[in-house]
Amino acid sequence: MIEVIRHGYIHELRMARPPVNALNDDLLGALIEAIEAAPAHGARGLILSGGEKVFSGGMDVPYLLTLDRAGLKACWSRFFGAGRALARSPIPVVAAIAGHNPAGGCVLALCCDYRIMARGPFRIGLNETQVGLAVPDAIQFLLRRVVGPHRAERLVVAGAMVESEQALQYGMVDELTDAGEVVTRAVRWLEELLALPSGPMLATRALARADVIAALEGFAEPELEWFISGWDSPDTQAALKILMARLKK
Amino acid sequence: MIEVIRHGYIHELRMARPPVNALNDDLLGALIEAIEAAPAHGARGLILSGGEKVFSGGMDVPYLLTLDRAGLKACWSRFFGAGRALARSPIPVVAAIAGHNPAGGCVLALCCDYRIMARGPFRIGLNETQVGLAVPDAIQFLLRRVVGPHRAERLVVAGAMVESEQALQYGMVDELTDAGEVVTRAVRWLEELLALPSGPMLATRALARADVIAALEGFAEPELEWFISGWDSPDTQAALKILMARLKK
Amino acid sequence: MIEVIRHGYIHELRMARPPVNALNDDLLGALIEAIEAAPAHGARGLILSGGEKVFSGGMDVPYLLTLDRAGLKACWSRFFGAGRALARSPIPVVAAIAGHNPAGGCVLALCCDYRIMARGPFRIGLNETQVGLAVPDAIQFLLRRVVGPHRAERLVVAGAMVESEQALQYGMVDELTDAGEVVTRAVRWLEELLALPSGPMLATRALARADVIAALEGFAEPELEWFISGWDSPDTQAALKILMARLKK
């Protein structure tokens, strides 16, 4: 479910679960494995890419609704594990976002070092509250870190999706390029970074990103329990049913 | 001193102490009571509004100068209590700012979820140092949270007031509208927010705003003592006398 | 090595070690002494200025390469001591930056209250990773505080230098003026600040800047050891040799 495409010492991990890279146990497990295995396979930089129209549609809600409580918890745990794997990566990771990127897909992108998004009518954001899910503090932290605490509060409470130009202005993504060029640009950006003296660059990076890792590691068993406990609430179930009806169209 | 105006399930709390809503014990006490009583009266969202030319002129300095030390301390304590009541509100609060909003009035607005201000030559800011008062860290925190630490430092040390356009650009307020429309816009904004699945939205909001509550709760007895202890200093007394002379004109 | 130029109660401390104010033990020691002595000599505000084309070229690398381990550690310790002296200054300090300002010179400027830089093709930034040095967290903190955590990460990991217009837009400097006017503007800015009621302004400033002092005080023996331990690494030595060759041209 993850295609590994080598651009020299830069490895692209392309999520490949059509049609929209909905995140389920298999995809998330494969992603974690690929991230963790990459350095040993010679990668010095990583690119996380997705589909042409949709980077990732976020969690696979129809699949989640088939799971019992233990399965649900395991799948969400794996999702946060994928975020941690990206954040902990000892080598830089760029998200190359060629299309829409809501909810869980946006979270994965926010765990990366850098985000390149397609110019055009593509939207990105943490729209969880719109579909009936609360947003844990660890995820809010990721958004706060790029747009500041007040704007993050407004975006995340409203469940707002924004177009790529707006996302760039807010700092949710770092640069825009043509949809067909996001991976090429990611390769260039990494090549430039990796041309620096390696030890000092990586040591500086580790200090700069320690807060991201700490925030994601702060999402442990009690936070997961809290998160899962909302799943059966009438608000959440009603919103998920509306979402399901829309997905079927 | 607080008029409660119902816009359906959105309750507007209008400060009504002419001419400029100077904050004294009575007004602050009534405000705290109204905020805390609102949810039980059916409110799902709150609007804090003030006068047409002046949202609130800040603390009632002539009144403060009539108080003994214990009275002074009680009144400032009530002021911080009003800030905490706004921050702790279990339902969203919008500040609808139709005019100028210096010092204490600005603090109350900064405790709200969202700020809508009148377009035009109206000014807002923490001008305390200009009138001889130091700004406690809890209040500096509120400004830092919306404009970042360095800009907050520059604004608060200088006691700067800025016009609404500048305030919008800095992030001190969230949007501008015509002076006569601030409440209408606040109602619309809340209606949109309150249309979201309620539980997930409120749980997300509680996490997003936990730092605001924590900062205001960090202003306890020692901080209040510190703050009050500056009151009799020659600098403060001289600056307050200049302010008094100006207010009498 | 430090010329003290009095503009009334505002004292300018001008680094004067031609050609580029390379920071060595003597210059750093003189700077610390001048900062600490200024209030007793009647200063109510300080200006840190440097050369006409270069504020400071940063640490004196050729000098550092002549030192043994103990000397290296002492010199870097003095550098961080100069940063702490600026941050702890009980009176406001403005950096008046008339030219380029890389690495160590940029760090000193970031320890000041306010930065005025020359308009034009002058560059500023923490380019340490470019020359083979890791950037300690205390220094990263200084950049984060003015540009936010994500932009700081990008700039510092890349070792980016930016032109003054860009630096202004990012918040690395506070205003631009003609190269010949940076000190004059710094005097004006301080005069305005010092016209405020002194006690409340300074008390507010102390709270606003407590995080800067805390961050620099957090750089203690273990952090210094960590920093020095990278000095002999092949990456660092190779990058420093390239730098030396360039300096000799």
Side-chain angles (χ1 to χ4, degrees):
Chain A
M1 291 199 166
I2 298 289
E3 293 171 10
V4 181
I5 302 152
R6 303 194 177 205
H7 310 267
Y9 49 79
I10 294 164
H11 293 195
E12 178 186 353
L13 309 181
R14 186 181 290 173
M15 295 181 280
R17 184 173 179 243
V20 296
N21 290 319
L23 304 168
N24 67 354
D25 278 296
D26 289 347
L27 177 52
L28 291 164
L31 178 58
I32 294 170
E33 208 176 290
I35 296 164
E36 294 179 346
H41 291 147
R44 292 181 51 214
L46 289 178
I47 297 168
L48 178 65
S49 63
E52 278 186 25
K53 297 282 155 113
V54 178
F55 177 79
S56 160
M59 291 298 271
D60 186 339
V61 171
Y63 169 74
L64 291 177
L65 290 171
T66 67
L67 300 177
D68 64 9
R69 189 69 163 235
L72 197 63
K73 202 171 148 181
C75 190
W76 278 106
S77 180
R78 199 158 289 190
F79 170 69
F80 285 97
R84 276 197 306 275
L86 288 166
R88 282 177 187 158
S89 167
I91 57 177
V93 191
V94 178
I97 308 163
H100 294 297
N101 195 18
C106 177
V107 173
L108 296 182
L110 288 171
C111 294
C112 298
D113 295 55
Y114 196 72
R115 284 155 289 286
I116 299 169
M117 188 167 174
R119 199 176 279 120
F122 301 110
R123 301 173 82 213
I124 185 170
L126 299 176
N127 62 332
E128 278 81 349
T129 62
Q130 297 270 0
V131 298
L133 297 176
V135 180
D137 201 52
I139 294 177
Q140 296 199 26
F141 175 88
L142 299 173
L143 189 59
R144 254 176 236 147
R145 192 175 185 272
V146 290
V147 307
H150 180 63
R151 176 154 284 155
E153 177 191 336
R154 296 283 37 99
L155 290 169
V156 82
V157 174
M161 297 282 291
V162 301
E163 291 208 355
S164 56
E165 281 287 353
Q166 184 81 85
L168 178 68
Q169 199 194 304
Y170 285 172
M172 290 169 70
V173 301
D174 294 289
E175 58 172 285
L176 302 186
T177 187
D178 292 341
E181 297 295 319
V182 290
V183 171
T184 311
R185 259 303 297 156
V187 171
R188 291 282 144 70
W189 188 85
L190 280 166
E191 282 173 346
E192 202 171 323
L193 195 65
L194 295 170
L196 291 167
S198 182
M201 184 277 280
L202 291 175
T204 301
R205 174 184 179 266
L207 288 173
R209 297 185 63 70
D211 61 337
V212 176
I213 298 173
L216 289 166
E217 288 178 348
F219 187 86
E221 183 61 26
E223 286 75 18
L224 183 57
E225 268 302 331
W226 169 86
F227 182 66
I228 296 294
S229 71
W231 190 259
D232 295 325
S233 74
D235 278 354
T236 299
Q237 287 297 313
L240 290 175
K241 259 170 216 157
I242 293 168
L243 176 69
M244 287 287 285
R246 215 176 47 193
L247 290 175
K248 275 179 192 150
K249 272 177 205 168
Chain B
M1 292 200 164
I2 298 289
E3 293 171 10
V4 181
I5 302 152
R6 302 194 177 205
H7 309 267
Y9 51 78
I10 294 164
H11 293 196
E12 178 186 353
L13 309 181
R14 185 181 292 172
M15 295 181 279
R17 185 175 178 242
V20 296
N21 290 320
L23 304 167
N24 68 353
D25 278 296
D26 289 347
L27 177 53
L28 291 165
L31 178 59
I32 294 171
E33 208 175 290
I35 296 163
E36 293 179 348
H41 291 145
R44 291 182 51 214
L46 289 178
I47 297 168
L48 179 64
S49 64
E52 278 184 24
K53 298 281 154 111
V54 178
F55 176 79
S56 160
M59 292 298 271
D60 186 339
V61 172
Y63 169 75
L64 289 177
L65 289 171
T66 68
L67 300 176
D68 63 8
R69 190 69 163 235
L72 197 63
K73 202 172 149 181
C75 190
W76 278 106
S77 181
R78 199 158 290 190
F79 170 69
F80 285 97
R84 276 197 305 274
L86 288 165
R88 282 177 187 158
S89 167
I91 57 177
V93 191
V94 178
I97 308 164
H100 295 296
N101 195 19
C106 177
V107 173
L108 295 183
L110 288 171
C111 293
C112 297
D113 294 56
Y114 196 72
R115 285 156 288 286
I116 298 169
M117 189 167 174
R119 199 176 281 119
F122 301 110
R123 301 172 82 213
I124 184 169
L126 299 176
N127 62 333
E128 277 81 351
T129 61
Q130 297 271 0
V131 299
L133 297 176
V135 180
D137 200 53
I139 294 177
Q140 297 199 28
F141 175 89
L142 299 173
L143 189 58
R144 252 176 238 149
R145 193 174 185 271
V146 290
V147 306
H150 180 62
R151 176 155 284 156
E153 178 191 335
R154 297 283 37 99
L155 290 168
V156 82
V157 174
M161 298 282 290
V162 301
E163 291 207 355
S164 55
E165 281 287 354
Q166 184 80 86
L168 177 68
Q169 199 194 305
Y170 285 171
M172 291 170 70
V173 300
D174 294 288
E175 57 172 286
L176 303 185
T177 187
D178 291 341
E181 297 295 319
V182 289
V183 170
T184 310
R185 258 305 295 156
V187 171
R188 293 280 145 70
W189 188 85
L190 280 167
E191 282 173 347
E192 201 171 323
L193 195 64
L194 296 170
L196 291 167
S198 182
M201 184 276 281
L202 291 174
T204 301
R205 173 184 180 266
L207 289 172
R209 297 183 63 69
D211 61 336
V212 176
I213 298 174
L216 289 166
E217 287 179 348
F219 186 85
E221 183 62 25
E223 286 75 19
L224 183 58
E225 268 302 331
W226 170 86
F227 182 66
I228 296 294
S229 71
W231 190 259
D232 295 326
S233 74
D235 278 354
T236 299
Q237 287 296 314
L240 290 174
K241 259 171 214 156
I242 293 168
L243 176 68
M244 288 287 285
R246 216 176 47 192
L247 290 175
K248 275 180 190 147
K249 273 180 202 164
Chain C
M1 292 200 164
I2 297 289
E3 293 171 12
V4 181
I5 301 153
R6 302 194 177 203
H7 309 267
Y9 50 78
I10 294 164
H11 293 196
E12 177 186 353
L13 309 180
R14 185 181 291 172
M15 294 182 279
R17 183 172 181 244
V20 296
N21 291 318
L23 304 168
N24 68 354
D25 279 297
D26 289 348
L27 177 52
L28 291 165
L31 178 59
I32 294 171
E33 208 176 291
I35 296 163
E36 294 180 347
H41 291 146
R44 292 181 51 214
L46 289 178
I47 297 168
L48 178 64
S49 64
E52 277 185 26
K53 298 281 156 112
V54 179
F55 178 79
S56 160
M59 291 298 271
D60 186 340
V61 171
Y63 169 75
L64 290 177
L65 289 171
T66 68
L67 300 176
D68 63 9
R69 189 69 163 235
L72 197 63
K73 202 171 150 181
C75 190
W76 278 106
S77 181
R78 199 158 289 189
F79 170 69
F80 285 97
R84 276 197 304 275
L86 288 166
R88 282 177 187 159
S89 167
I91 57 177
V93 191
V94 178
I97 308 162
H100 294 297
N101 196 18
C106 177
V107 173
L108 295 183
L110 288 171
C111 294
C112 297
D113 295 56
Y114 195 73
R115 284 155 289 284
I116 299 170
M117 188 166 174
R119 199 177 280 121
F122 301 111
R123 301 172 83 213
I124 184 170
L126 300 176
N127 62 332
E128 278 80 350
T129 61
Q130 297 272 0
V131 298
L133 297 176
V135 181
D137 200 53
I139 294 178
Q140 297 198 27
F141 176 88
L142 298 173
L143 189 59
R144 254 176 236 147
R145 194 175 184 270
V146 290
V147 307
H150 180 62
R151 176 156 284 156
E153 177 191 336
R154 297 283 36 99
L155 290 168
V156 83
V157 174
M161 298 283 290
V162 300
E163 291 208 355
S164 55
E165 282 287 353
Q166 184 80 87
L168 178 68
Q169 199 195 303
Y170 285 171
M172 290 170 70
V173 300
D174 294 289
E175 58 172 286
L176 302 186
T177 186
D178 291 341
E181 297 294 319
V182 290
V183 170
T184 310
R185 259 303 297 156
V187 171
R188 292 280 145 70
W189 188 85
L190 280 167
E191 281 173 347
E192 201 171 323
L193 195 65
L194 296 170
L196 290 167
S198 182
M201 184 277 280
L202 291 175
T204 301
R205 173 184 179 265
L207 288 172
R209 297 184 62 70
D211 61 336
V212 176
I213 298 173
L216 288 166
E217 288 178 348
F219 187 86
E221 183 61 26
E223 286 76 18
L224 183 57
E225 268 302 332
W226 170 86
F227 182 65
I228 296 294
S229 71
W231 190 259
D232 295 326
S233 74
D235 279 353
T236 299
Q237 287 296 314
L240 290 174
K241 258 170 215 158
I242 293 168
L243 177 68
M244 287 286 285
R246 215 176 47 193
L247 290 175
K248 275 178 192 151
K249 272 179 204 167

